[in-house]
Amino acid sequence: MKLNNIYLEKVIIEALEEDIGFGDLTTDYLIPSTHRSSGKIIVKEDGVVAGVGVARSVFEAVNSKIEFKAMVRDGDQVRAGDVIIKITGPTAGILKGERTALNFMQRLSGIATKTCRLVTKVKDFPVRVVDTRKTTPTLRQLEKYAVRVGGGYNHRFGLYDAVMVKDNHIKAAGGIKKAVTTLRRNIPHTTKIEVEVTTLTEVEEALEAGADIIMLDNMDIETMAEAVKQIEGKALVEASGGIDENTIIEVARTGVDVISVGALTHQIESLDISLNLDSD
């Protein structure tokens, strides 16, 4: 997955405007514009790096004279203490871009690290670990990019690029069959339909309606395994709902095709990363 440059530029400018505002009161009145420094961005715990290019773009936006040398690439495994970036240039620019660059890298690396842990646990199963729409508003593309960096896959990006019939849609439409029938009549012929189910009865209804993908939502392992047998390859099977590092292997063993985990993007710990200027 490649980040959209227009989107990235907009997000970075908004983040810098949020932080710098009318100016950096500390740096602007303390550091001469001619002052130059060198520094290192260091990772302080083990993990997977993501957002190197984003950090580069942040510093370029602040001051194009800043020299940015990446020692790693997105997706690389790093150890605590590793120097991942070397930076040289106008001190004021480095200081103004520091927090924004680190905020992006820390969060994206945290997502990539968590994703990698889950993907590694089920590497011996023919299953994909995917994200959800539970992302930080305006940062969805970046966070889904970090999932890919960590070895995971992306679910739909928004309401606009896939059909997913959830419980409230079913209630409003008057049932699974009515919902699927109406959608088939109105959506493009190239679009697949996913239906969320919670019981084996609803699994049968989704199959009879001709759903292309059936999401097993918050099912226990036994029911999930039975649902997979019931579907018998007639539709793609997705498992979702409260799946974590402790349960993901059991879920994979049921034979589902896809495991979606909202926690990849909304319950993560940022990776600890810092920037240290070299001493004169």
Side-chain angles (χ1 to χ4, degrees), residues 6 10 53 78 228 278:
I6 296 173
K10 179 182 178 182
V78 293
V228 172
D278 298 333

Side-chain angles (χ1 to χ4, degrees), residues 121-155:
K121 280 185 172 290
V122 295
K123 62 182 175 60
D124 295 327
F125 297 90
V127 66
R128 283 189 174 191
V129 177
V130 307
D131 52 30
T132 70
R133 286 166 49 238
K134 294 178 181 178
T135 54
T136 308
T138 75
L139 297 184
R140 180 169 295 170
Q141 188 178 142
L142 281 172
E143 293 181 350
K144 282 180 171 283
Y145 167 77
V147 168
R148 292 303 299 264
V149 169
Y153 290 84
N154 300 137
H155 209 300

Side-chain angles (χ1 to χ4, degrees), residues 195-206:
V195 177
E196 176 187 275
V197 300
T198 57
T199 68
L200 294 177
T201 299
E202 289 179 342
V203 168
E204 189 59 36
E205 289 176 19

Side-chain angles (χ1 to χ4, degrees), residues 8-279:
L8 183 58
E9 181 179 349
K10 179 182 178 182
V11 167
I12 287 173
I13 292 302
E14 289 177 349
L16 287 171
E17 286 178 345
E18 176 184 63
D19 200 33
I20 297 174
F22 295 108
D24 180 345
L25 283 174
T26 309
T27 300
D28 288 343
Y29 291 104
L30 180 64
I31 309 297
S33 60
T34 55
H35 194 281
R36 292 177 59 84
S37 294
S38 295
K40 300 178 183 67
I41 294 181
I42 300 169
V43 64
K44 300 171 77 173
E45 56 184 321
D46 298 352
V48 177
V49 172
V52 174
V54 180
R56 182 193 298 273
S57 295
V58 168
F59 286 113
E60 287 177 350
V62 173
N63 192 317
S64 61
K65 294 181 179 179
I66 294 174
E67 298 175 19
F68 184 102
K69 183 179 181 181
M71 314 301 290
V72 297
R73 294 181 297 180
D74 283 358
D76 284 353
Q77 297 270 355
V78 293
R79 297 281 188 178
D82 284 353
V83 175
I84 58 175
I85 294 164
K86 293 182 179 179
I87 193 164
T88 302
T91 307
I94 293 174
L95 294 175
K96 289 179 181 180
E98 173 186 2
R99 185 72 270 147
T100 298
L102 292 180
N103 281 349
F104 279 127
M105 281 202 72
Q106 287 174 323
R107 180 160 185 81
L108 298 185
S109 297
I111 291 170
T113 299
K114 181 162 190 167
T115 302
C116 182
R117 285 202 300 265
L118 288 175
V119 168
T120 300
K121 280 185 172 290
V122 295
K123 62 182 175 60
D124 295 327
F125 297 90
V127 66
R128 283 189 174 191
V129 177
V130 307
D131 52 30
T132 70
R133 286 166 49 238
K134 294 178 181 178
T135 54
T136 308
T138 75
L139 297 184
R140 180 169 295 170
Q141 188 178 142
L142 281 172
E143 293 181 350
K144 282 180 171 283
Y145 167 77
V147 168
R148 292 303 299 264
V149 169
Y153 290 84
N154 300 137
H155 209 300
R156 59 178 177 166
F157 268 71
L159 298 174
Y160 55 85
D161 66 339
V163 172
M164 182 185 292
V165 184
K166 298 176 74 66
D167 56 347
N168 286 328
H169 295 112
I170 294 168
K171 291 174 185 176
I176 291 174
K177 185 176 180 179
K178 286 185 178 180
V180 173
T181 300
T182 301
L183 284 165
R184 284 280 183 224
R185 190 166 56 242
N186 292 296
I187 62 175
H189 68 281
T190 56
T191 305
K192 293 183 179 181
I193 295 177
E194 178 166 4
V195 177
E196 176 187 275
V197 300
T198 57
T199 68
L200 294 177
T201 299
E202 289 179 342
V203 168
E204 189 59 36
E205 289 176 19
L207 282 172
E208 291 177 356
D212 302 293
I213 307 164
I214 298 177
M215 177 197 285
L216 311 178
D217 185 48
N218 282 296
M219 283 188 179
D220 59 57
I221 296 298
E222 292 75 17
T223 306
M224 191 180 295
E226 185 58 37
V228 172
K229 291 179 182 177
Q230 185 176 341
I231 294 167
E232 202 177 12
K234 298 183 183 72
L236 198 71
V237 187
E238 175 182 340
S240 184
I243 300 167
D244 58 23
E245 293 181 50
N246 297 317
T247 59
I248 194 167
I249 293 178
E250 280 188 298
V251 172
R253 283 198 184 109
T254 65
V256 297
D257 303 294
V258 176
I259 299 174
S260 56
V261 184
L264 292 181
T265 53
H266 82 89
Q267 291 179 8
I268 64 107
E269 292 183 10
S270 295
L271 203 66
D272 194 357
I273 302 172
S274 64
L275 187 156
N276 297 328
L277 292 183
D278 298 333
S279 301

